[in-house]
Amino acid sequence: SVNSEKLRKLPVESQKTKIITNCVNGSDDEIFQFAEKATGYVFKNKKLLKTALTHKSCSKNKNYERLEFLGDSVLGFIIAEHLYFLSDKREGVLTGEKQKLVSTVPLANAARKISLDKFIFVSKEFKNEKSFKAGAPDSLCEDVYEAGVAAIYLDGGINECESFIKRTLTTVNFIRLIS
């Protein structure tokens, strides 16, 4: 997890159009450095990382939605492959197991565990919404986790992506599956 003392020392966002979810900011390079430390992956293409962390409230065109779409499938594939090779259960049971592993709560928890929720670019208006008062909502954290999966997949390939998932998705069911 990212050092929270260092996070607090970064200057607060002063731009009018975007903020980081927890008012952690600095230059994009500083944000990327913290996000890369959190994910355990160093991006060759920093634009992929920025896109994976950008909510549509900040940018209608360069936001995480397309990456989230791809990441959902890549994550599903990796989990399905592990279930297929590591279990002899029937298809219906495997489907249920996969759904438990890739649902909102485990993915949001994985994003929070590595502090991805602290690096999401959102508009001030979006952050001021009622659903945001207690921090980034589960659905937003899930979306950014899936977008991160896709960004790592596109930047480093399936093996890097699988390593990221194994490091971060630590539900009891997943740990039992990969152990």
Side-chain angles (χ1 to χ4, degrees):
S1 162
V2 176
N3 183 331
S4 58
E5 280 302 309
K6 286 186 179 180
L7 290 177
R8 282 193 280 272
K9 291 178 183 175
L10 287 173
V12 175
E13 174 68 60
S14 61
Q15 297 178 7
K16 293 180 181 177
T17 58
K18 66 180 180 181
I19 58 172
I20 306 299
T21 56
N22 287 343
C23 296
V24 173
N25 209 339
S27 70
D28 281 355
D29 288 340
E30 289 174 309
I31 304 276
F32 296 156
Q33 187 177 26
F34 280 111
E36 286 175 336
K37 184 176 180 182
T39 63
Y41 178 77
V42 177
F43 282 83
K44 296 178 241 7
N45 181 351
K46 305 291 189 214
K47 289 180 182 177
L48 279 171
L49 177 57
K50 176 130 186 188
T51 301
L53 297 173
T54 303
H55 184 263
K56 66 183 176 181
S57 66
C58 276
S59 175
K60 296 294 179 204
N61 298 321
K62 294 194 180 211
N63 62 61
Y64 65 64
E65 287 183 332
R66 288 175 46 84
L67 286 172
E68 176 200 350
F69 166 78
L70 177 61
D72 178 61
S73 294
V74 172
L75 177 64
F77 165 73
I78 289 170
I79 297 298
E81 183 181 46
H82 278 280
L83 286 167
Y84 179 82
F85 286 112
L86 299 174
S87 173
D88 59 357
K89 296 176 182 171
R90 294 182 350 268
E91 180 272 336
V93 175
L94 293 174
T95 298
E97 288 293 316
K98 183 180 124 201
Q99 287 308 106
K100 284 185 221 170
L101 293 169
V102 300
S103 65
T104 300
V105 172
L107 299 184
N109 288 341
R112 285 189 184 98
K113 176 184 174 227
I114 61 170
S115 302
L116 275 184
D117 59 317
K118 295 179 175 32
F119 305 110
I120 307 167
F121 293 93
V122 297
S123 69
K124 286 182 181 181
E125 295 78 22
F126 184 77
K127 186 175 181 190
N128 288 331
E129 287 184 10
K130 190 179 201 178
S131 65
F132 220 107
K133 293 299 180 197
D138 282 355
S139 60
L140 180 61
C141 292
E142 173 193 21
D143 293 349
V144 169
Y145 184 85
E146 289 173 337
V149 166
I152 292 170
Y153 169 72
L154 292 172
D155 194 66
I158 196 74
N159 292 334
E160 290 289 345
C161 187
E162 186 173 8
S163 293
F164 168 72
I165 292 166
K166 285 180 177 180
R167 278 192 311 275
T168 60
L169 191 60
T170 56
T171 66
V172 172
N173 290 340
F174 188 66
I175 291 170
R176 190 178 70 236
L177 174 65
I178 65 172
S179 298

